[in-house]
Amino acid sequence: MATHTVDVYAFFFNGANSSTNISRIEQDISKANSTWKGCTKFVLEGAYFNEDKIVNAGSIPSDGVFKNRQMDSLIKFARNVTGNKIGIYVFYLNGDFLAEGKGRKVVGASTTEVGYFESSTNYELFGHIVLTDKAAGRYTFAHECGHVLFKRYSETRNMFIHDDPSGPYINFQTGKRDPAHNSDQKNLMFPISPSVNPIVTSQQCQIAKQSKIVRNNIDKYYDYYDFRNT
């Protein structure tokens, strides 16, 4: 039976040693796979680290993470190193939280970039995730993967959307609807993902499997890279 696989490329700019960083990405991959089991399998294809280069999460506003010049530079570097391979690129930064913007104490953010677009069924996507030190040991990576995989082209709306198929989240105080999140506090895509055994619905699973980032694959061993001198 074919496996719906997502390739992951990890880049560390947090000043931690390589063994600590490898343990962390392996834990994030494990948590993502336990949560998305039966839907998609996340495979670490490359781990890139440079203990000398540190990027402070507190210097990047949470409301413009991927419009930030530092992040744009890191993404271009990562894509160049991997040869623009399809997958999810995750960046580990130093510090507890991103700078205040859309919210306080933000520990993770994600975006899905369109590589090319020829038609509603023929296009290419890349995922980018940023995680701070405070995201360690949590389901933040798995949650952000959901946002990445939910991006798809809607024929009926004639545009790209990233709605949670079993959402939206509705703020009970303001009534504001957030189509990217889920109202079930036990669901992985609740705005603050559960700390223990989050669930994924069948609708979420189906949409994730259809993502352009997902492909049929076989298990591989990943490589470590030290880009200190690049």
Side-chain angles (χ1 to χ4, degrees), residues 22-56:
I22 293 305
S23 295
R24 182 171 174 191
I25 181 59
E26 288 180 336
Q27 181 184 55
D28 281 343
I29 292 284
S30 177
K31 284 182 175 292
N33 282 333
S34 67
T35 304
W36 291 98
K37 185 177 181 180
C39 305
T40 60
K41 182 176 182 180
F42 298 89
V43 177
L44 183 57
E45 288 291 299
Y48 304 75
F49 49 89
N50 182 343
E51 296 174 17
D52 300 327
K53 183 174 179 60
I54 299 175
V55 177
N56 184 4

Side-chain angles (χ1 to χ4, degrees), residues 168-229:
Y169 167 74
I170 302 175
N171 187 306
F172 72 93
Q173 292 181 321
T174 65
K176 185 176 180 180
R177 298 164 65 90
D178 177 1
H181 288 105
N182 195 286
S183 285
D184 184 353
Q185 293 185 14
K186 297 181 180 179
N187 192 277
L188 176 67
M189 302 311 295
F190 189 73
I192 300 175
S193 54
S195 58
V196 180
N197 300 326
I199 63 173
V200 169
T201 68
S202 59
Q203 297 101 316
Q204 291 171 324
C205 182
Q206 189 63 27
I207 291 297
K209 289 196 292 187
Q210 295 172 1
S211 169
K212 290 289 186 181
I213 296 176
V214 174
R215 63 189 178 90
N216 294 336
N217 202 358
I218 59 175
D219 291 344
K220 296 180 180 180
Y221 292 102
Y222 58 85
D223 297 318
Y224 299 131
Y225 300 90
D226 187 331
F227 55 88
R228 189 170 317 194
N229 298 315

Side-chain angles (χ1 to χ4, degrees), residues 62-209:
S62 60
D63 60 349
V65 175
F66 299 100
K67 297 178 181 178
N68 181 274
R69 184 175 298 179
Q70 283 190 95
M71 282 308 309
D72 183 62
S73 176
L74 296 184
I75 289 171
K76 287 179 179 177
F77 167 76
R79 295 273 290 277
N80 181 64
V81 167
T82 64
N84 293 312
K85 290 181 179 177
I86 301 298
I88 293 178
Y89 294 70
V90 53
F91 301 87
Y92 291 86
L93 307 185
N94 179 66
D96 290 344
F97 307 107
L98 296 169
E100 291 187 17
K102 65 179 180 181
R104 300 178 60 189
K105 297 185 176 180
V106 176
V107 300
S110 59
T111 190
T112 313
E113 177 185 347
V114 180
Y116 69 80
F117 181 87
E118 294 186 359
S119 71
S120 60
T121 58
N122 184 11
Y123 56 89
E124 180 179 80
L125 298 177
F126 297 87
H128 303 303
I129 294 174
V130 171
L131 299 175
T132 72
D133 290 337
K134 277 290 187 181
R138 301 165 68 169
Y139 285 89
T140 308
F141 173 74
H143 173 97
E144 298 302 339
C145 283
H147 287 310
V148 169
L149 298 181
F150 288 165
K151 184 160 183 174
R152 69 270 191 198
Y153 192 84
S154 169
E155 296 263 12
T156 56
R157 295 166 64 179
N158 195 31
M159 62 184 291
F160 279 101
I161 63 173
H162 61 281
D163 300 12
D164 181 334
S166 58
Y169 167 74
I170 302 175
N171 187 306
F172 72 93
Q173 292 181 321
T174 65
K176 185 176 180 180
R177 298 164 65 90
D178 177 1
H181 288 105
N182 195 286
S183 285
D184 184 353
Q185 293 185 14
K186 297 181 180 179
N187 192 277
L188 176 67
M189 302 311 295
F190 189 73
I192 300 175
S193 54
S195 58
V196 180
N197 300 326
I199 63 173
V200 169
T201 68
S202 59
Q203 297 101 316
Q204 291 171 324
C205 182
Q206 189 63 27
I207 291 297
K209 289 196 292 187

